[in-house]
Each structure stands twice: as C-alpha cells, then as structure tokens.
Amino acid sequence: AQSVTQLDSQVPVFEEAPVELRCNYSSSVSVYLFWYVQYPNQGLQLLLKYLSGSTLVKGINGFEAEFNKSQTSFHLRKPSVHISDTAEYFCAVSEQEYGNKLVFGAGTILRVKS
Amino acid sequence: GAGVSQSPSNKVTEKGKDVELRCDPISGHTALYWYRQSLGQGLEFLIYFQGNSAPDKSGLPSDRFSAERTGGSVSTLTIQRTQQEDSAVYLCASSSTGDGDEAFFGQGTRLTVV
C-alpha cells in the first residue's frame, strides 16, 4: 500500500523568497504523483501532476516539482512567493494500476509574510 | 452540474443519530472518492468507487460507516449512531477514470456532532 509523508506541517516564508515543500512517498510499484492546494475557505484544486516522462513538472501559479525516483520524493518549489500563495498544500500518490485510490499526505501550511 | 456537488453543506446532528451525506460527481466520471478532513489531520481516505463497485473501502473507520453508489453516479455516505469524533469535513472527489486523472473536489459537508 502506498503512503505519503509531508515533512513540514508549517512553512513560514517572507514574500518574494523561494520556498520548497517536501514530500516523500512509499510504494512497491510505479506511481503517479500530485500536488493539490487548498486556499482558505476554498476547495482543493490541482497544482500539478507527474505521470511519466520529464521528471520536472511545471504547474499553475509558477510552481514546479521534481520527481526523484531514487529518493522517492516529489518536492514542490517556487522561486518567489506571493502573499496570495498562503494556503495548505497536499501531496498525493496513486499507484500506476487502473482503478487505484489517491492517497494524500497530511498537508503543509505555507504562510507568506510581508 | 459543472463540478462535484455535495449536500448538505453543513449538518449539525445529535450524538447517536444517523446521517446521510450525498455526493453528485461530474457527469461521466467513473472514479469517486470520499475523504474526511479533520482539523490538523489532513485528508483521510475513506472509500473509493470505480463505477458502482468499491474496490477499496479500507479507510472506513468503523462499521458505523458505509457508502454506496448507484447508477455509476450519485454516492451516499452514511454514518450510523454518530459520535463526537465523527465531527469533520467530509469531502467527495471524482475523476474521469481514476488512472492518473485529476481528481475534482466538492466543497465538502461540515458535520458537527453535538
């Protein structure tokens, strides 16, 4: 069974600084990887996903993530954050087998300060 | 509708009562997920449907929880004899096939057991 670990529950950062939100997963088979974002009082929406191919994936709002199979990681990065990036970010994994469930990490709250 | 619809949006119930939560997925989506989001707990997987069948119901916390999906569309999550620890936001999501597709989330049902 797959599992996801998000190593930081909260990440405070100043506006225009770079940020990295860490995600590690475990699975015995190949996986699909996702990052979702939940803005305050809103539903979850997809930021980006890795299915196959290039290990560097670009998403919305200037975010990108890199899949590292040897380290079983899928860390999310942004070179310069904005106040509007304040939200909770969830990493998720699904095993590459038709009809498999999506499992989420515990989430990381990104707080951008001015 | 255009998105995943959940009803009711809020539900307050007395301890010991039964509740039913409804999810109307995006039309044509075969995969449907239920999650529970408690304060500081991230998204806890409850059950996953592929069509009308539930290949993975491993996340249901006790036999008081059950779910069904009829006609490959609407799903109902039922909690019997509710307890205070059942208080949470219950989220439903659907995806086209479940195989690496983006999961679209509803706004959730906030359940409060008093």
Side-chain angles (χ1 to χ4, degrees):
Chain A
Q2 69 269 45
S3 67
V4 179
T5 302
Q6 291 184 243
L7 297 163
D8 307 296
S9 59
Q10 293 198 39
V11 173
V13 63
F14 284 102
E15 195 172 18
E16 297 183 9
V19 70
E20 179 180 83
L21 306 185
R22 296 179 293 169
C23 172
N24 287 87
Y25 70 92
S26 69
S27 174
S28 56
V29 300
S30 297
V31 295
Y32 300 127
L33 294 155
F34 307 80
W35 276 98
Y36 282 80
V37 60
Q38 187 173 33
Y39 296 104
N41 301 313
Q42 293 188 30
L44 282 104
Q45 63 183 90
L46 181 69
L47 261 185
L48 49 78
K49 64 180 179 181
Y50 170 80
L51 301 183
S52 65
S54 173
T55 57
L56 182 63
V57 179
K58 294 189 184 297
I60 61 172
N61 300 339
F63 283 93
E64 63 181 33
E66 185 152 23
F67 170 54
N68 187 319
K69 187 174 182 179
S70 63
Q71 296 188 5
T72 60
S73 68
F74 191 55
H75 301 330
L76 182 70
R77 302 185 184 101
K78 185 169 182 178
S80 175
V81 295
H82 303 290
I83 295 286
S84 59
D85 293 324
T86 295
E88 189 161 16
Y89 292 79
F90 295 92
C91 182
V93 64
S94 174
E95 292 182 338
Q96 283 189 24
E97 182 180 310
Y98 180 76
N100 243 310
K101 69 187 181 190
L102 192 60
V103 172
F104 284 83
T108 297
I109 297 173
L110 175 64
R111 296 190 194 281
V112 182
K113 303 177 287 186
S114 58
Chain B
V4 177
S5 177
Q6 292 188 245
S7 60
S9 55
N10 279 284
K11 176 73 176 178
V12 180
T13 189
E14 291 181 352
K15 179 181 171 181
K17 300 282 191 185
D18 297 352
V19 294
E20 281 190 357
L21 312 180
R22 176 187 168 106
C23 173
D24 212 329
I26 293 173
S27 178
H29 280 192
T30 62
L32 186 147
Y33 309 84
W34 282 99
Y35 294 90
R36 179 167 69 176
Q37 188 173 26
S38 307
L39 196 60
Q41 297 295 315
L43 283 95
E44 177 188 7
F45 169 79
L46 297 179
I47 188 169
Y48 161 63
F49 287 92
Q50 186 62 242
N52 287 339
S53 64
D56 193 329
K57 49 180 82 171
S58 62
L60 294 177
S62 74
D63 59 8
R64 296 187 295 105
F65 287 72
S66 63
E68 64 176 15
R69 188 180 186 193
T70 53
S73 182
V74 173
S75 176
T76 302
L77 177 69
T78 302
I79 309 173
Q80 296 178 308
R81 305 180 303 281
T82 52
Q83 303 294 314
Q84 287 185 330
E85 62 263 27
D86 299 334
S87 296
V89 176
Y90 289 82
L91 293 170
C92 177
S94 71
S95 69
S96 181
T97 66
D99 190 26
D101 301 317
E102 176 180 356
F104 293 86
F105 281 81
Q107 291 295 310
T109 294
R110 182 175 298 278
L111 176 66
T112 305
V113 182
V114 298

